[in-house]
Amino acid sequence: MPSVCPKESSFGVATRYISLAPLYCMNHDDSWPVTLKFMSMGATQVNRPQQIVMSLGHDVQNTSAANLQKYQQIEAFAAQHGIDFYPAGRGIGHQIMVEEGYAWPGTMAVASDSRSTHYGGVGCLGTPVVRTDAASIWAILRTWWQIPPIARVTFTGTLPEGTDVLNHAIEFTGSEETMASLPVDSRITIANMSCEWGALAGLFPIDRTLQRCLRYKAAEAAMLDDRTTRQRIIHGRIDELFANPLIADRDAVYAKQLYPNLSTLSPYVSGPDSVKVATPLNELVPQNIKINRAYIVSCTNSRASDLAAAAKVFRDAAGANPAPEQESAEAAGDWQVLLDAGAQPLPAGCGPCIGLGKGLLEPGEVGISASNRNFKGRMGSRDAQAYVASPEVVAASALSGIISGPGAYQVPTDWPGVDCGFGTGMERTTEHELADLVQQMESLIERVDPPTRFCQASPRGSAAKSSSGADNLDTDSIYPGKLTYQDNVSKEVMARAYMQNYDPDFDGIAKPNDILVAGWNFGCGSSREQAATALLEKQVPLVIAGSFGNIFARNSINNALMGLEVPRLVERLRAHFSSPPSSVDATQRRLTRRTG
């Protein structure tokens, strides 16, 4: 593919921009907003309808006239242009992309959703785009990317029983024995969660484990007439794939290398209110954390093996305390086991994971979920707490009423923690030593205090984040999920909603023409475009941060919101306005403050 604005790059630094045409582009409930962008470009005909997949799965519990009309408009547009369409109730789009064979090993597939890294579990390069990108793909087949640094994660050891594994692109690899201990379902979970590292992609190898999975699906499709997968998952295509599988070059250079030892893994629980706060299960169990709600199915853990793992927890419990209803449930299958245990079925879709529909967390409640994000306010009230764990841990916690593990899980003796090695993968040569020296000098030059005066561009001063909790500020905190799929939200409401989940006082602090200064990894999380456009509606034209989440950066570029990475300014503001932790009550700390 042709490169745009090519530049020489230092080791591990992304500088080139390229234009690529993915094999498939999936859009979900945002298909109608993408359609409106598509038409606003002057486009009238989808360039290659076979490239597009539409799947409704985010707001499927919303039966309002407005939402049903939007769904009808999306279906009608798909029919008009000959686009593959999956209606509400069929399932979550990312799972459909894998089940139906759109996400094919050795190809590239994208979706207007941050969890597109999901496809890497089957060896397909999956990466997110945003609404404007999707409209571009519909019209001209392609959109832009900045080539990222590549990190390689080499797994060692083997995955123990009872353990679930959760702005680089990541390549996963390992020995044949190690990778054989990671079934495709587990790989999909890991790839799905790669975006929580800030990764643009998480790619697993095209190996024998994947081949066995594809052969099974091809045989199933050939035998069963109702399988639409027979259009894409066929033995001939698998033969071609493994006759010349895509592999990394032997002399490939990586910006970073990690070596996690799977044998040292132990179940973890993330939270509350952050995926990045993870605690070993054996440390949480003694705390007797009471839960009010437990959620099992999401795109992260929605395979049959996940349901079987959750059902096994209840089967094992019933084995210890036999009951007639449990015996009949065992004969009916895993889904029935969960229903008989008291689970409430919801329509196939994102639902509580994105804070839409029934069963959301109420103020003061605690929930545990086998989903992927637990940001404050995402799954309901911002006054609730949410944890993330594997299906087995969620099921065991639901059974006991407190965060706990399944019976199969043995608390490790003298467990030292996860063993993870680091490295660059580069052979130490004179050339590489000189390159490292040049990079160090460049870094020192960048950190010399520049005589900048750009803050004066704001006639009203700037609204700056304080040092408490401003890093990794996610898009759920920036723009609430309950408004994300409402297409008729006024500009005034969008502006007032900005930072609603993070700081309810933000609306009264920020003024038109302010400059917003944030911390590191600002705008991580979901792909919602309003995280950028709502700030423009608030008439804030510039965001300065230590660094930006890639998904927010894409939305900013596509919608003409200026963003600058100025780490030294952020450090100075924090040093100037920070208070000693002991001198300020945590409940009284200002999340947003004016600096002028």
Side-chain angles (χ1 to χ4, degrees), residues 272-273 292 360-367 374-387 500-504 587 591:
D273 304 331
N292 304 97
L360 304 184
L361 290 173
E362 300 290 340
E365 288 190 332
V366 177
N374 56 345
F375 306 139
K376 181 177 286 292
R378 178 180 173 91
M379 300 184 68
S381 171
R382 69 183 304 273
D383 296 320
Q385 289 188 329
Y387 292 83
Q500 188 178 93
N501 278 339
Y502 173 69
D503 182 3
T587 61
L591 299 175

Side-chain angles (χ1 to χ4, degrees), residues 55-73:
S55 171
L56 304 181
H58 272 68
D59 203 13
V60 295
Q61 297 182 49
N62 183 353
T63 58
S64 67
N67 196 56
L68 293 179
Q69 180 185 19
K70 179 173 72 173
Y71 279 7
Q72 291 170 359
Q73 290 171 320

Side-chain angles (χ1 to χ4, degrees), residues 114-115 117 150-155 165-173 189-204 256-260 265 270 275-276 372-373 375 420 422 472 521 524-525 547-550:
S114 58
R115 308 220 77 84
T117 55
I150 309 298
R152 182 165 71 173
V153 174
T154 302
F155 292 121
V165 185
L166 298 183
N167 287 329
H168 288 55
I170 300 174
E171 174 191 327
F172 294 106
T173 187
T189 296
I190 297 170
N192 181 290
M193 291 298 290
S194 295
C195 65
E196 300 306 330
W197 301 15
L200 300 179
L203 189 66
F204 273 84
K256 296 178 182 177
Q257 289 214 51
L258 305 176
Y259 302 88
L265 290 183
S270 292
V275 180
K276 294 178 172 61
N372 42 62
R373 289 183 176 134
F375 306 139
C420 185
F422 299 86
N472 302 309
N521 198 26
C524 60
S547 63
F548 291 102
N550 177 268

Side-chain angles (χ1 to χ4, degrees), residues 481-525:
K482 63 184 179 183
L483 296 179
T484 300
Y485 295 99
Q486 294 183 27
D487 303 327
N488 58 347
V489 180
S490 68
K491 295 179 178 180
E492 294 75 18
V493 171
M494 287 181 66
R496 289 197 301 270
Y498 206 79
M499 295 289 184
Q500 188 178 93
N501 278 339
Y502 173 69
D503 182 3
D505 296 328
F506 182 87
D507 182 53
I509 298 174
K511 307 297 182 184
N513 297 317
D514 273 354
I515 293 174
L516 174 64
V517 182
W520 273 259
N521 198 26
F522 180 77
C524 60

Side-chain angles (χ1 to χ4, degrees), residues 181-298:
S181 75
L182 280 172
V184 171
D185 286 358
S186 294
R187 298 179 182 193
I188 291 173
T189 296
I190 297 170
N192 181 290
M193 291 298 290
S194 295
C195 65
E196 300 306 330
W197 301 15
L200 300 179
L203 189 66
F204 273 84
I206 301 172
D207 60 5
R208 292 184 182 180
T209 299
L210 178 61
Q211 185 179 32
R212 286 193 294 270
C213 176
L214 293 174
R215 290 293 185 193
Y216 175 84
K217 288 179 175 291
E220 181 185 59
M223 292 187 295
L224 302 175
D225 294 336
D226 63 344
R227 290 292 189 270
T228 55
T229 50
R230 63 174 55 198
Q231 302 172 26
R232 288 168 291 275
I233 306 179
I234 56 177
H235 288 291
R237 195 180 183 193
I238 299 172
D239 292 338
E240 293 177 5
L241 173 67
F242 284 91
N244 187 27
L246 185 66
I247 59 174
D249 296 336
R250 288 185 177 274
D251 59 350
V253 176
Y254 299 91
K256 296 178 182 177
Q257 289 214 51
L258 305 176
Y259 302 88
N261 184 348
L262 297 183
S263 299
T264 66
L265 290 183
S266 172
Y268 270 72
V269 176
S270 292
D273 304 331
S274 173
V275 180
K276 294 178 172 61
V277 177
T279 306
L281 177 63
N282 64 300
E283 293 181 15
L284 282 183
V285 170
Q287 297 180 28
N288 292 317
I289 301 172
K290 182 181 178 181
I291 63 167
N292 304 97
R293 300 176 190 270
Y295 309 91
I296 290 180
V297 178
S298 72

Side-chain angles (χ1 to χ4, degrees), residues 257-445:
Q257 289 214 51
L258 305 176
Y259 302 88
N261 184 348
L262 297 183
S263 299
T264 66
L265 290 183
S266 172
Y268 270 72
V269 176
S270 292
D273 304 331
S274 173
V275 180
K276 294 178 172 61
V277 177
T279 306
L281 177 63
N282 64 300
E283 293 181 15
L284 282 183
V285 170
Q287 297 180 28
N288 292 317
I289 301 172
K290 182 181 178 181
I291 63 167
N292 304 97
R293 300 176 190 270
Y295 309 91
I296 290 180
V297 178
S298 72
C299 66
T300 306
N301 289 298
S302 61
R303 268 64 64 190
S305 61
D306 298 312
L307 294 173
K312 184 178 184 300
V313 173
F314 294 103
R315 282 198 175 101
D316 290 347
N321 301 282
E325 61 270 24
Q326 184 64 29
E327 293 175 0
S328 63
E330 288 184 5
D334 298 327
W335 186 254
Q336 190 61 41
V337 168
L338 298 175
L339 296 182
D340 287 353
Q344 300 179 36
L346 297 173
C350 300
C353 177
I354 195 174
L356 297 173
K358 301 176 182 178
L360 304 184
L361 290 173
E362 300 290 340
E365 288 190 332
V366 177
I368 188 168
S369 173
S371 56
N372 42 62
R373 289 183 176 134
N374 56 345
F375 306 139
K376 181 177 286 292
R378 178 180 173 91
M379 300 184 68
S381 171
R382 69 183 304 273
D383 296 320
Q385 289 188 329
Y387 292 83
V388 170
S390 69
E392 297 98 318
V393 171
V394 171
S397 300
L399 187 64
S400 65
I402 60 172
I403 294 180
S404 56
Y409 168 63
Q410 300 297 319
V411 177
T413 303
D414 298 326
W415 181 65
V418 177
D419 180 14
C420 185
F422 299 86
T424 65
M426 295 185 68
E427 182 181 350
R428 304 314 298 171
T429 65
T430 301
E431 180 182 357
H432 291 148
E433 294 286 357
L434 288 173
D436 286 350
L437 179 62
V438 171
Q439 289 179 61
Q440 292 173 28
M441 293 300 295
E442 289 177 347
S443 178
L444 287 173
I445 292 171

